[in-house]
Amino acid sequence: MKTRFNKLKASSIAAAAAAVLFMNMTPYKQPAFIDAAFKKAEKQYHYLAKEADVLKKFPRTTDKNGKLKGTDEWDWTGGFFPGSLWYIYHQTANEQTKAAAIKWTEALEKAKDLDQHHDIGFVMYCSYGNAIKYLKDPAKIKEYQDIIVHSSNTALHRYDPKVGLIKSWNEKKSWDGKTLWKYPVIIDNMMNLEMLCYASDLTGDPKYKKVAISHADQTMKNHFRPDYSTYHVVDYDSQGNAIHRQTNQGFADNSTWSRGQAWGIYGFTMMYRETKKSEYLKTAQKAAKYYIQHQNMPQDNIPYWDFNAQQAGFQSDVDFSGRQLSYIPRDASAAAIVASALVELAGFSKGKDKELFLNFAKQTLETLSEPAYFADYQSNGGFLLKHSVGSLPHNSEVDGPLTYADYYYLEALTRLKKWK
């Protein structure tokens, strides 16, 4: 009997091992909505490109009448439209899309000298950086790489080594009407560091990446609360000491603005990829779990514009009484940014964390690809996603389309399609 038991036990172990091997060898099945979304996106963006040609501006959002509203190359959002075109071209190989992507990328060239604010990484890397990835023209790639290096040198104009951070804005008053920020740094600024890391890779000069690491280290130290929620604005003195922690786009200084949390998750995931510093991975994972597991996260994974809006214990310095909103708006742009970050973060994570991040990203993207959030052809000003919030405190771009929501949605789809 004992011999027979041992044979059965060995047989069971072999069968279990074979089952595990089979599961590991089973190809990852791409969600069906990805290709369908890209097909609809291409059609919609051909329409948007025609509208942009008429407007002669970079698409940003819509006005109160639902008409396309654009901006110039000195705004922080100019790079997202050409960047989105590059993501679509990468999937469809449509020459019309490629021509539009080149046209609108090269229309940004003057912005290589943009130093009025911190956003040059958004503008130049989302456009020229994607062009470098997806073009097969060596001459243009070299030209675009030179522009990226030039842009990175411009970005360093706003870096003070004594403070150790890139200054986001010039002097600015907070919503309380009395605090003057002298050296404000916003969590969004993490998104400009990828261009600096790439510039060091291109040139072999470590100075760009050193600035990126210094900025990330200080941000990790001062922008996160113990629960890994984020402050939007941290103001510094001339020696790099954090002296104010407030908000400019969230509900309250102590609340968690959902897109700010998204920038933090994305930024530290990216910086872990570029440096392999374990502290960055831990920060990204903890910030992601705060976002995913928050009690106020709606079931469809599309967050409210602020996790703590209108809640007890969160006092806003902004007078919202004239907004007449009977609901708390969602922010599809935050959802898209987080989904893109989580697909990458899942690749750096193990076990339950990997499963948590990837499944949440897939579910979010599937929701965004459905009619509740994905616009019909020629509607929504030509943009893909509905229901984003630019800045509720400024009463600006509330519950409408945003060019960067589309960009990170398309980036997330691109990343998910590559998942193996």
Side-chain angles (χ1 to χ4, degrees), residues 185-199:
V185 177
I186 59 177
I187 190 67
D188 322 35
N189 208 335
M190 286 294 301
M191 304 296 285
N192 295 297
L193 306 185
E194 187 171 7
M195 181 179 73
L196 298 181
C197 292
Y198 180 60

Side-chain angles (χ1 to χ4, degrees), residues 3-193:
T3 302
R4 184 182 176 194
F5 174 78
N6 287 339
K7 286 181 179 179
L8 286 171
K9 184 178 179 183
S11 177
S12 298
I13 292 171
V20 170
L21 180 62
F22 175 76
M23 286 190 291
N24 288 338
M25 291 175 65
T26 302
Y28 171 76
K29 187 176 181 181
Q30 295 292 347
F33 65 81
I34 298 178
D35 287 337
F38 273 114
K39 287 180 181 178
K40 290 190 288 185
E42 181 179 61
K43 187 177 180 182
Q44 182 80 322
Y45 261 59
H46 284 177
Y47 169 75
L48 180 57
K50 290 178 182 177
E51 295 293 295
D53 285 341
V54 173
L55 197 62
K56 293 182 170 56
K57 288 186 176 182
F58 297 91
R60 174 167 171 151
T61 185
T62 55
D63 63 20
K64 293 180 180 179
N65 298 315
K67 298 295 184 182
L68 179 63
K69 187 176 180 181
T71 189
D72 61 23
E73 64 270 27
W74 305 112
D75 182 55
W76 77 277
T77 64
F80 295 116
F81 176 55
S84 293
L85 288 167
W86 284 117
Y87 281 130
I88 295 169
Y89 168 70
H90 177 58
Q91 297 300 323
T92 67
N94 186 302
E95 288 298 313
Q96 181 182 343
T97 306
K98 176 184 174 182
I102 291 172
K103 172 185 173 179
W104 286 99
T105 296
E106 294 182 352
L108 285 167
E109 183 176 357
K110 287 191 293 185
K112 66 187 179 184
D113 294 315
L114 190 160
D115 63 1
Q116 301 95 311
H117 49 75
H118 69 107
D119 293 303
I120 191 169
F122 277 124
V123 176
M124 304 305 284
Y125 197 71
C126 294
S127 54
Y128 284 93
N130 276 342
I132 291 165
K133 279 192 286 186
Y134 299 131
L135 263 180
K136 295 180 180 178
D137 181 337
K140 276 198 178 294
I141 289 173
K142 177 61 169 65
E143 175 190 344
Y144 292 176
Q145 287 175 333
D146 289 344
I147 288 172
I148 289 291
V149 173
H150 183 111
S151 301
S152 298
N153 283 311
T154 300
L156 298 191
H157 294 176
R158 299 189 68 85
Y159 177 74
D160 183 339
K162 289 183 180 179
V163 181
L165 293 125
I166 298 168
K167 188 177 183 181
S168 294
W169 300 321
N170 299 330
E171 286 188 4
K172 183 182 180 74
K173 270 194 174 182
S174 76
W175 285 111
D176 64 19
K178 58 187 179 183
T179 305
L180 180 65
W181 298 327
K182 293 279 193 176
Y183 203 104
V185 177
I186 59 177
I187 190 67
D188 322 35
N189 208 335
M190 286 294 301
M191 304 296 285
N192 295 297
L193 306 185

Side-chain angles (χ1 to χ4, degrees), residues 63 97 124 272 297 349 380:
D63 63 20
T97 306
M124 304 305 284
Y272 174 71
M297 175 60 72
S349 303
N380 203 39

